[in-house]
Amino acid sequence: MEMPMKLFCVSSIIAFALSAPQGTRDESRSSTTQVPILNQINQVNDDGSYTFGYEAGDGTFKVETRDPRGNITGRYGYVDPEGYLKVVDYAAGTNTGFNAKANHIPVSPFPLPVPFGDSTGADLSFTSFVEVPQV
Protein backbone atom coordinates (compact mmCIF):
# COMPACT_ATOMS: atom_id res chain seq x y z
CA MET A 1 0.00 0.00 0.00
CA GLU A 2 2.88 2.32 0.75
CA MET A 3 4.55 1.98 -2.68
CA PRO A 4 1.42 3.04 -4.64
CA MET A 5 1.11 6.12 -2.41
CA LYS A 6 4.73 7.12 -3.09
CA LEU A 7 4.19 6.53 -6.79
CA PHE A 8 1.05 8.68 -6.68
CA CYS A 9 2.90 11.52 -4.88
CA VAL A 10 5.86 11.47 -7.28
CA SER A 11 3.51 11.30 -10.29
CA SER A 12 1.50 14.23 -8.94
CA ILE A 13 4.61 16.36 -8.47
CA ILE A 14 5.84 15.58 -11.97
CA ALA A 15 2.42 16.31 -13.47
CA PHE A 16 2.21 19.59 -11.58
CA ALA A 17 5.68 20.66 -12.73
CA LEU A 18 4.93 19.79 -16.36
CA SER A 19 1.59 21.59 -16.29
CA ALA A 20 3.17 24.92 -15.25
CA PRO A 21 2.88 27.55 -18.00
CA GLN A 22 5.90 27.54 -20.27
CA GLY A 23 7.41 30.61 -21.93
CA THR A 24 5.46 33.17 -19.91
CA ARG A 25 8.62 35.08 -19.05
CA ASP A 26 8.52 38.73 -20.14
CA GLU A 27 10.82 38.53 -23.14
CA SER A 28 11.26 42.32 -23.32
CA ARG A 29 12.93 42.30 -19.91
CA SER A 30 15.10 39.27 -20.55
CA SER A 31 16.73 40.67 -23.67
CA THR A 32 19.12 43.58 -23.48
CA THR A 33 18.98 46.39 -25.98
CA GLN A 34 22.25 48.19 -26.45
CA VAL A 35 21.96 51.96 -26.17
CA PRO A 36 24.55 53.98 -28.07
CA ILE A 37 26.64 56.55 -26.20
CA LEU A 38 26.44 59.78 -28.20
CA ASN A 39 28.85 61.92 -26.16
CA GLN A 40 31.28 61.15 -23.38
CA ILE A 41 33.73 63.09 -21.21
CA ASN A 42 36.25 61.76 -18.70
CA GLN A 43 38.75 64.27 -17.38
CA VAL A 44 40.82 63.63 -14.24
CA ASN A 45 43.19 66.33 -13.00
CA ASP A 46 46.35 66.12 -10.87
CA ASP A 47 44.69 68.09 -8.04
CA GLY A 48 42.02 65.39 -7.56
CA SER A 49 39.29 67.24 -9.40
CA TYR A 50 37.43 65.55 -12.23
CA THR A 51 34.59 65.85 -14.70
CA PHE A 52 32.89 62.87 -16.26
CA GLY A 53 29.69 62.32 -18.08
CA TYR A 54 27.81 60.79 -20.94
CA GLU A 55 24.77 61.27 -23.14
CA ALA A 56 23.03 58.15 -24.41
CA GLY A 57 20.82 57.58 -27.41
CA ASP A 58 17.77 56.84 -25.23
CA GLY A 59 17.80 60.32 -23.67
CA THR A 60 19.61 59.42 -20.45
CA PHE A 61 22.60 61.45 -19.41
CA LYS A 62 24.89 62.25 -16.48
CA VAL A 63 27.53 64.90 -15.83
CA GLU A 64 29.48 65.19 -12.58
CA THR A 65 32.28 67.51 -11.48
CA ARG A 66 34.44 67.38 -8.35
CA ASP A 67 36.52 70.35 -7.31
CA PRO A 68 39.92 70.07 -5.53
CA ARG A 69 38.23 70.49 -2.11
CA GLY A 70 36.00 67.45 -2.71
CA ASN A 71 32.74 69.26 -3.44
CA ILE A 72 30.68 67.54 -6.09
CA THR A 73 27.99 68.90 -8.38
CA GLY A 74 26.14 66.98 -11.01
CA ARG A 75 23.06 66.46 -13.08
CA TYR A 76 21.48 63.34 -14.50
CA GLY A 77 18.39 62.61 -16.49
CA TYR A 78 16.31 59.67 -17.58
CA VAL A 79 13.10 59.03 -19.45
CA ASP A 80 10.32 57.74 -17.19
CA PRO A 81 7.87 54.98 -18.26
CA GLU A 82 5.42 57.62 -19.55
CA GLY A 83 8.10 59.07 -21.85
CA TYR A 84 8.89 62.23 -19.88
CA LEU A 85 12.46 63.36 -19.28
CA LYS A 86 13.21 63.58 -15.55
CA VAL A 87 16.22 65.69 -14.55
CA VAL A 88 17.91 65.72 -11.14
CA ASP A 89 20.51 68.29 -10.05
CA TYR A 90 22.64 67.34 -7.06
CA ALA A 91 25.50 68.60 -4.95
CA ALA A 92 27.54 67.05 -2.18
CA GLY A 93 30.15 68.64 0.00
CA THR A 94 31.92 68.32 3.30
CA ASN A 95 29.91 71.21 4.73
CA THR A 96 26.58 70.56 3.05
CA GLY A 97 26.05 66.82 2.75
CA PHE A 98 24.12 65.49 -0.23
CA ASN A 99 21.31 67.56 -1.73
CA ALA A 100 19.20 66.71 -4.74
CA LYS A 101 16.65 68.91 -6.48
CA ALA A 102 14.13 68.02 -9.14
CA ASN A 103 10.52 68.80 -9.96
CA HIS A 104 9.49 65.18 -9.35
CA ILE A 105 11.21 64.82 -5.92
CA PRO A 106 8.82 65.62 -3.06
CA VAL A 107 9.81 68.44 -0.72
CA SER A 108 9.39 68.04 3.03
CA PRO A 109 6.85 70.37 4.63
CA PHE A 110 9.05 70.44 7.74
CA PRO A 111 12.06 72.74 8.15
CA LEU A 112 15.39 71.12 7.46
CA PRO A 113 18.07 70.97 10.17
CA VAL A 114 20.99 73.38 9.97
CA PRO A 115 23.81 71.65 8.06
CA PHE A 116 27.39 71.38 9.27
CA GLY A 117 29.42 74.46 8.59
CA ASP A 118 26.77 76.90 9.77
CA SER A 119 27.64 80.55 10.37
CA THR A 120 27.70 80.34 14.20
CA GLY A 121 31.46 79.97 14.29
CA ALA A 122 31.27 76.67 16.17
CA ASP A 123 34.04 74.17 15.54
CA LEU A 124 32.22 71.43 13.67
CA SER A 125 35.29 69.64 12.37
CA PHE A 126 35.78 65.93 12.85
CA THR A 127 38.48 66.49 15.47
CA SER A 128 36.11 68.53 17.64
CA PHE A 129 33.97 65.40 18.12
CA VAL A 130 36.69 62.74 18.31
CA GLU A 131 39.67 62.68 20.61
CA VAL A 132 42.71 62.40 18.38
CA PRO A 133 45.69 60.71 20.05
CA GLN A 134 48.90 62.72 20.14
CA VAL A 135 51.84 61.04 18.46
Side-chain angles (χ1 to χ4, degrees):
M1 182 77 150
E2 189 148 328
M3 185 59 141
M5 186 59 152
K6 286 183 182 179
L7 183 60
F8 174 75
C9 289
V10 170
S11 299
S12 298
I13 292 170
I14 292 172
F16 179 74
L18 292 175
S19 68
Q22 302 294 317
T24 59
R25 185 171 50 133
D26 183 359
E27 297 298 326
S28 66
R29 289 188 177 171
S30 66
S31 64
T32 302
T33 303
Q34 289 189 349
V35 177
I37 301 299
L38 305 177
N39 293 305
Q40 183 174 330
I41 184 170
N42 188 18
Q43 180 180 351
V44 179
N45 303 310
D46 292 336
D47 61 3
S49 63
Y50 64 78
T51 298
F52 78 88
Y54 65 89
E55 177 186 9
D58 63 355
T60 59
F61 68 91
K62 179 173 182 167
V63 177
E64 181 175 289
T65 300
R66 179 185 188 268
D67 70 20
R69 293 183 313 265
N71 299 305
I72 296 172
T73 58
R75 169 179 264 207
Y76 66 90
Y78 61 93
V79 179
D80 72 5
E82 287 78 39
Y84 294 102
L85 179 64
K86 301 293 185 177
V87 177
V88 177
D89 292 299
Y90 63 91
T94 55
N95 294 327
T96 60
F98 179 81
N99 296 292
K101 293 182 182 176
N103 290 338
H104 62 283
I105 296 177
V107 178
S108 173
F110 304 104
L112 297 174
V114 176
F116 284 121
D118 65 355
S119 60
T120 64
D123 182 9
L124 299 175
S125 65
F126 178 75
T127 55
S128 69
F129 295 102
V130 178
E131 185 176 330
V132 179
Q134 300 296 326
V135 180

